[in-house]
Amino acid sequence: SEESFIAVEIEILQRSQLYIENKFTGRAYPSNDAYILPPLMAEVEEINVSVGDLVKKDQALFRLDKKNIQNQVDQANAAYQAALANLAMTTEQINAAKDAFERTKSLYESGVVSRAQYDQAELAASEKPINTISKSVEQARLAYTQAVDALDNTIVKAPIEGTVTSVDIKEGQIALSSQPAIVIMNLAQMTVKINVTEGIVNNLFVGQPVEIKIDSADLETNAEIISVSNAVDPMTNLYNVEISLENNSLIKAGMFAQVTINTDIREDRLSVPGNAVLEKNGVSIVYVEDNGMAFEKKVITGLDTGQRVEIISGLEAGQRIIVKGQNYISDGSIVKVVRGE
């Protein structure tokens, strides 16, 4: 008579690296950007860049009409010079009044002039008018300096190196300081931003390697974490994590990115597929095949990655672990290996 058996699939137990694979979805952003606001309201005289242009730091972007500003500079300078002249004249008058007061004081002490004449001469010699006019001179000087600075600002330069992504001004129109005239983004180096829960944030660190996939940019590459937030975002109740990567020239700002981060990495560990571990009377067991028979082994498990389970004790490398058919056998069952050898 033919002996009955149960067909099983096995896996040879080996040591390998274990880790938990975490997947996130984020977006790609430029590593640096600048929104250039016109420094003053004036007519746009010339625009030197277009969308898509690469610009260097301090490169001229556009020029504003300086005619009205030059008039303001001339008026401010005239007011400043008038204030200086007024100060000089008042100072000269005060100095003359001081000399007159000294003579009046001698005459008063000799009884030649009255107290009223003495007080009047003393008041005329007071330096209070000089202090007041000095403040006016300083205000006029500041106004003149600001006007000159505004004249220098008629040529607007790039604060960073990057790519022009937006130009919202036109020649002949008035540039408004309330909205960006030009936007520059450094697209050579990108930053992918993701949000993680408090359960994983302490397993992440600056410099940690990650895998990034951006389908829209036909990109799949390795990168690393450059920052991990220490405070939760009150809007999302999640922690912000930033990852740096180089642009392959196809990544655009705002593209979706799939990020894979491995945590709880453990080297040289025994592990079996998660479904190979069974529970029996509150004890974890694994079936091992040996010479056509199944033997029950009690094990102590460790890290569960979701796909594989770490075996801390109870098994040895090289054993033949039953990974399929284990739900239909018991200790001592006759089995036949159909796959896995």
Side-chain angles (χ1 to χ4, degrees):
S1 61
E2 185 177 350
E3 187 176 18
S4 64
F5 61 86
I6 299 174
V8 296
E9 182 177 332
I10 67 166
E11 176 184 298
I12 306 301
L13 186 59
Q14 298 177 345
R15 291 186 174 275
S16 62
Q17 183 189 68
L18 281 183
Y19 54 82
I20 295 179
E21 186 178 78
N22 304 276
K23 293 185 176 293
F24 306 93
T25 299
R27 283 184 181 271
Y29 298 93
S31 60
N32 193 12
D33 55 27
Y35 293 78
I36 294 92
L37 295 170
L40 45 91
M41 288 183 59
E43 181 179 325
V44 179
E45 192 171 78
E46 181 182 15
I47 300 175
N48 302 318
V49 296
S50 302
V51 173
D53 287 352
L54 295 175
V55 297
K56 299 291 185 181
K57 187 177 183 300
D58 294 328
Q59 180 178 332
L61 301 176
F62 61 94
R63 185 174 72 248
L64 299 173
D65 184 9
K66 62 181 181 180
K67 293 179 183 177
N68 292 334
I69 302 172
Q70 183 62 58
N71 292 335
Q72 294 175 10
V73 171
D74 295 340
Q75 292 174 2
N77 184 42
Y80 178 45
Q81 296 302 323
L84 287 175
N86 187 24
L87 177 62
M89 182 180 65
T90 302
T91 301
E92 183 179 354
Q93 292 174 348
I94 296 298
N95 289 336
K98 287 181 178 180
D99 294 338
F101 172 67
E102 291 298 326
R103 293 192 297 270
T104 302
K105 182 179 179 181
S106 298
L107 294 174
Y108 173 72
E109 292 174 349
S110 301
V112 177
V113 298
S114 65
R115 179 68 186 187
Q117 291 174 310
Y118 173 86
D119 292 342
Q120 185 176 1
E122 184 180 30
L123 179 62
S126 174
E127 292 189 352
K128 289 183 178 180
I130 293 179
N131 294 334
T132 301
I133 295 175
S134 295
K135 293 180 180 179
S136 299
V137 170
E138 180 61 20
Q139 291 175 352
R141 186 190 68 80
L142 289 175
Y144 173 64
T145 301
Q146 291 174 353
V148 172
D149 290 341
L151 187 62
D152 294 337
N153 290 335
T154 55
I155 298 179
V156 181
K157 300 178 180 180
I160 64 170
E161 179 179 345
T163 302
V164 177
T165 60
S166 175
V167 177
D168 290 328
I169 53 174
K170 294 182 179 180
E171 294 180 1
Q173 293 185 348
I174 300 297
L176 302 177
S177 57
S178 59
Q179 63 185 34
I182 291 178
V183 178
I184 299 175
M185 294 183 177
N186 184 353
L187 299 176
Q189 195 72 22
M190 304 295 289
T191 298
V192 173
K193 298 181 180 181
I194 61 174
N195 297 317
V196 304
T197 64
E198 62 181 34
I200 192 176
V201 67
N202 284 331
N203 292 323
L204 307 181
F205 55 89
V206 173
Q208 185 171 2
V210 304
E211 296 178 3
I212 292 183
K213 184 178 181 182
I214 303 178
D215 292 332
S216 301
D218 192 25
L219 177 70
E220 188 169 354
T221 185
N222 296 323
E224 66 177 31
I225 295 176
I226 58 173
S227 73
V228 179
S229 176
N230 289 319
V232 70
D233 187 330
M235 299 295 294
T236 62
N237 289 323
L238 298 172
Y239 293 85
N240 297 321
V241 176
E242 295 185 353
I243 303 156
S244 177
L245 78 158
E246 293 185 4
N247 197 340
N248 64 349
S249 76
L250 297 178
I251 304 177
K252 302 295 188 293
M255 282 186 171
F256 281 103
Q258 300 172 5
V259 180
T260 302
I261 306 177
N262 297 330
T263 60
D264 300 280
I265 299 176
R266 302 181 183 183
E267 302 290 347
D268 195 30
R269 302 298 174 95
L270 295 174
S271 68
V272 299
N275 59 0
V277 180
L278 305 176
E279 292 295 323
K280 184 177 181 181
N281 299 324
V283 177
S284 297
I285 65 168
V286 172
Y287 284 105
V288 175
E289 185 273 336
D290 187 10
N291 292 323
M293 296 187 65
F295 296 95
E296 180 183 296
K297 300 291 184 180
K298 295 180 181 179
V299 297
I300 297 177
T301 60
L303 178 67
D304 186 347
T305 68
Q307 295 181 337
R308 301 190 70 83
V309 176
E310 179 187 9
I311 302 299
I312 296 177
S313 65
L315 297 175
E316 296 179 358
Q319 288 182 302
R320 298 156 63 89
I321 309 301
I322 297 176
V323 296
K324 284 189 178 179
Q326 65 272 21
N327 294 308
Y328 308 104
I329 60 179
S330 59
D331 190 31
S333 294
I334 298 175
V335 297
K336 182 179 181 180
V337 177
V338 295
R339 189 178 302 170
E341 288 187 299

